[in-house]
Amino acid sequence: MKSTTVRRTALSIAVVAALTSVAACGSSSGSGKDDKAAGGTTIHVSPIAAVLRNAEKSTDKAESVTVRSSTSLGTLMSLTANGAVSWAGGLKGHLTIAYTGGKLGEAMRKAGTPSSEARYLPDAVYAKMGGKFAQQTGKHWIRYSYEDLTKITGGATPNLQDQARTTTPNQSVQMLLASRDVKKVGEEEVSGVRTTHYAGTIDVADFARRNGSLSAGRLADLKRQLEKTGITTETIDIWINDQNLLVKKTEKANTAYGAMTNTTYFSDYGVKVSPEAPPASDTEDFKDLMKSLGTLGSGNASSGSATSVPGAGTGISS
C-alpha cells in the first residue's frame, strides 16, 4: 500500500472509530423530552415504562460518566473504548480506543496505530495518531471539525454537532421505551452492583415513525442512514441500579456489513470530565491534510466507509 494511501486510510478510520466509540456511550436519537408521537398521541409501551422514564431522567441529570465498551461489526471492525464522557453543555470527553480486529483494525496496524486516543470537545474531535503518521508529519494529533466530519460521511449524517450533543447513556433507555415488547428480565449483579435487567426489540422503521422527539429532517436522515446499514430490527438490553442509573447496556443488530454487537459499562456518574485541545504545535487540521492527500468528503475508509458504520453520528446501533 502506498504511503499516501496508508495515511489517507488511517485518517478516515481514526475518525470513524472515534465517532463509533462515542456513539457506543449512548444512542443519539433525539432529545427524548416529548412523550408524544408526531401526531400528538401519547406513546404507551408497557407497564414498566414509568421505571424506564425514571432511569432516563436520572441518567441524564448525572451529566457525566466513566465508560468501557467493546464494539464489533462483522469482519469490518472490532474495537474497545475506555474513558469518560460528559453531556453537560455539549459533548466533552476522552476515550482510549484499541483496534482489536477486522479490516479496519488491520489497516490501522499497518499504519502503525493499533490504538489511539480521542478527545471530544463541543466544536471538534481530536484523534491521536502514531506510527507512520507521526513520523511523516512530525505531529501526533488530528483535529476534525464537525463540519469536516459531515463531509467525511458524504452528507449522510448531517448536523453532527447537534447529534453529538445528544449522545448520552439515557438515549439507550429512550430507544428501549420505543420497543413494543420491552420486559423485565430479572434481578442480576453487574460489576458487583445489584441491578434490574430490562430487554426489548426495536423495529427501527416503526421507532422512527413513532418517536415524536425527532424532527422531520432528522427522521429523513435516520431513514437514509438505516438504508445504508441495512438494519431493520435491533435488540437492546439495559441494566439499571437502585439509583435509577444505567450500569450496562448491550445492543445487537444485523446490518448490511454483518452482525453488529456493542456492550458498554457505565460507572462513576458525575465524574469530572475536562478534556483539553492538544497543543496547536502538535496538531494537524484534517481539512489541510486532505488538501495534500486527496479529496475531502469521499467518505471512504479502506474497504468500509464512515457512512457504513452503525453508530457513527447517529448512535442508532452502537
Side-chain angles (χ1 to χ4, degrees):
M1 184 180 288
K2 294 181 179 179
S3 174
T4 300
T5 302
V6 170
R7 290 175 62 191
R8 185 184 294 111
T9 299
L11 299 182
S12 298
I13 294 173
V15 73
V16 169
L19 289 172
T20 303
S21 298
V22 76
C25 301
S27 298
S28 52
S29 56
S31 66
K33 296 181 179 179
D34 191 348
D35 291 345
K36 294 185 177 181
T41 302
T42 301
I43 299 175
H44 299 285
V45 287
S46 77
I48 61 175
V51 176
L52 296 180
R53 291 294 187 197
N54 287 335
E56 173 197 352
K57 294 175 182 177
S58 297
T59 302
D60 185 51
K61 289 179 180 178
E63 296 189 343
S64 65
V65 72
T66 297
V67 299
R68 55 188 177 92
S69 71
S70 59
T71 303
S72 65
L73 178 60
T75 61
L76 183 62
M77 67 183 298
S78 62
L79 56 82
T80 62
N82 301 294
V85 293
S86 168
W87 49 94
L91 175 67
K92 298 184 291 291
H94 52 83
L95 295 175
T96 298
I97 302 167
Y99 311 101
T100 57
K103 297 176 182 177
L104 299 191
E106 179 62 25
M108 289 302 283
R109 285 192 291 273
K110 288 182 178 179
T113 308
S115 64
S116 65
E117 178 185 348
R119 296 182 187 177
Y120 306 88
L121 279 76
D123 64 333
V125 178
Y126 293 85
K128 188 174 185 179
M129 304 295 290
K132 297 177 181 178
F133 176 83
Q135 293 173 10
Q136 294 173 3
T137 67
K139 298 183 179 182
H140 297 85
W141 293 88
I142 306 172
R143 179 185 184 276
Y144 302 87
S145 71
Y146 286 106
E147 180 181 357
D148 290 339
L149 292 181
T150 298
K151 293 178 181 178
I152 293 172
T153 61
T157 52
N159 304 318
L160 281 172
Q161 189 166 14
D162 290 338
Q163 293 176 38
R165 293 192 183 101
T166 57
T167 299
T168 63
N170 73 318
Q171 302 297 328
S172 298
V173 184
Q174 292 176 20
M175 288 186 67
L176 191 57
L177 280 162
S179 170
R180 292 186 182 274
D181 64 354
V182 62
K183 62 183 179 181
K184 177 180 175 179
V185 178
E187 308 294 325
E188 300 176 17
E189 187 172 297
V190 177
S191 301
V193 177
R194 293 185 62 182
T195 68
T196 304
H197 179 187
Y198 298 91
T201 301
I202 308 298
D203 182 316
V204 178
D206 187 58
F207 168 63
R209 289 193 297 269
R210 296 168 62 235
N211 192 325
S213 65
L214 299 179
S215 66
R218 183 71 182 91
L219 285 174
D221 296 339
L222 177 59
K223 183 176 183 296
R224 183 165 58 249
Q225 180 71 8
L226 295 174
E227 288 174 346
K228 280 277 189 179
T229 62
I231 294 176
T232 57
T233 59
E234 180 175 357
T235 301
I236 297 179
D237 290 70
I238 63 173
W239 288 258
I240 300 171
N241 65 15
D242 58 7
Q243 295 178 301
N244 292 319
L245 294 171
L246 195 62
V247 175
K248 176 185 176 182
K249 79 169 176 89
T250 65
E251 299 185 41
K252 300 177 182 179
N254 290 320
T255 78
Y257 303 92
M260 184 284 300
T261 63
N262 166 259
T263 300
T264 303
Y265 294 88
F266 305 93
S267 61
D268 300 323
Y269 280 93
V271 64
K272 184 177 180 180
V273 181
S274 303
E276 297 183 355
S281 59
D282 197 28
T283 304
E284 287 278 6
D285 191 277
F286 175 76
K287 182 166 56 178
D288 295 336
L289 286 170
M290 286 297 95
K291 287 180 180 178
S292 63
L293 295 178
T295 302
L296 175 64
S298 66
N300 292 325
S302 187
S303 59
S305 69
T307 59
S308 73
V309 181
T314 65
I316 287 305
S317 56
S318 60

